[in-house]
Amino acid sequence: MADGDRQALRAVYERTAAKLFGVCLRILDNREEAEDVLQDVYLTVWNRADSFDPARASPITWLATIARNRAIDRRRQLGPRIFDRPVDGAVDVADETPDALALLHRSDDARRLAECLDGLDGRTRVMIVTAFYGGDTYNELAETAGVPLGTMKSLIRRGLMRLKECLSS
C-alpha cells in the first residue's frame, strides 16, 4: 500500500473493515457518523501507509488505533447532540473476528503486555484497558469513576509510565 498499490488497499479493507467499523460504531453510536469516520480512516491509512512501523505495532493494532482516535475526535467535534442513546447496543455489532485485545494476546508482546497490565492495581488496569480498547475518553472515565478529570488523567499517566517501565525491562 505504501507503494500506491490499490489492490493492497482493497485487501486491507476487506480484512479489516468490519472490525474497524465496529470500533467506530461503538464509540460514535451512530451508523452514518461511523461510516464517515471509517472512510476517513482508510484515506489516512492510504496517505500514511509508509509511516507504518511493524516494530511498534501489528497492522490491526495500528489500524484500530487510527480508527479509535478518529472516532473520538469526531465524537468530541459533534458534542452530545447525537449521543442521546446508550452505547450498549454497539456491543452486538456482528463481527466474528477477534478484537484488537484478543489479537494482542496471541503474540509474545501481548503476553508481556498482559503480565505488565496484571502488575497494575485493578482500578488503573481497568481504566487503561477501557480507554485504549473500549474507546472511552478521559471525561467518560472520570465521570464513571466519580473522580475529577485531572485525577483520571494522572491515574492513567502514572499507569502508562509503569507499563512502559515494565515493558522496557
Side-chain angles (χ1 to χ4, degrees):
M1 219 167 41
D3 295 331
D5 183 352
R6 291 177 186 257
Q7 289 303 99
L9 176 62
R10 179 184 303 273
V12 168
Y13 178 84
E14 289 172 355
R15 290 184 179 123
T16 61
K19 173 64 67 187
L20 299 183
F21 180 70
V23 169
C24 295
L25 186 60
R26 179 154 187 254
I27 293 168
L28 293 166
D29 190 36
N30 180 287
R31 186 172 191 82
E32 293 80 21
E33 292 297 333
E35 289 170 353
D36 286 347
V37 168
L38 186 64
Q39 180 180 358
D40 185 47
V41 167
Y42 285 103
L43 285 171
T44 300
V45 168
W46 176 255
N47 291 323
R48 293 184 39 207
D50 60 337
S51 70
F52 171 69
D53 181 2
R56 294 185 63 198
S58 70
I60 191 64
T61 302
W62 184 65
L63 292 166
T65 300
I66 293 170
R68 177 188 170 277
N69 291 341
R70 294 280 190 231
I72 289 171
D73 289 346
R74 178 68 60 90
R75 184 173 177 136
R76 287 178 181 150
Q77 179 185 37
L78 294 171
R81 66 178 178 239
I82 66 165
F83 304 108
D84 299 347
R85 298 170 286 148
V87 296
D88 296 336
V91 173
D92 298 325
V93 172
D95 183 8
E96 299 301 319
T97 60
D99 63 14
L101 188 57
L103 290 171
L104 279 176
H105 283 290
R106 293 183 180 171
S107 69
D108 288 337
D109 289 341
R111 182 188 48 76
R112 288 196 48 197
L113 177 59
E115 288 171 0
C116 291
L117 279 169
D118 287 343
L120 298 174
D121 65 273
R123 178 174 146 180
T124 302
R125 180 178 54 252
V126 167
M127 293 302 144
I128 288 174
V129 169
T130 303
F132 289 91
Y133 293 105
D136 287 12
T137 65
Y138 288 122
N139 284 333
E140 292 167 334
L141 292 170
E143 187 177 304
T144 300
V147 299
L149 177 61
T151 302
M152 182 55 63
K153 287 181 177 181
S154 296
L155 176 84
I156 291 176
R157 179 169 169 71
R158 286 190 306 270
L160 290 174
M161 288 171 29
R162 286 192 301 258
L163 278 177
K164 182 178 179 182
E165 182 179 310
C166 177
L167 289 169
S168 66
S169 61

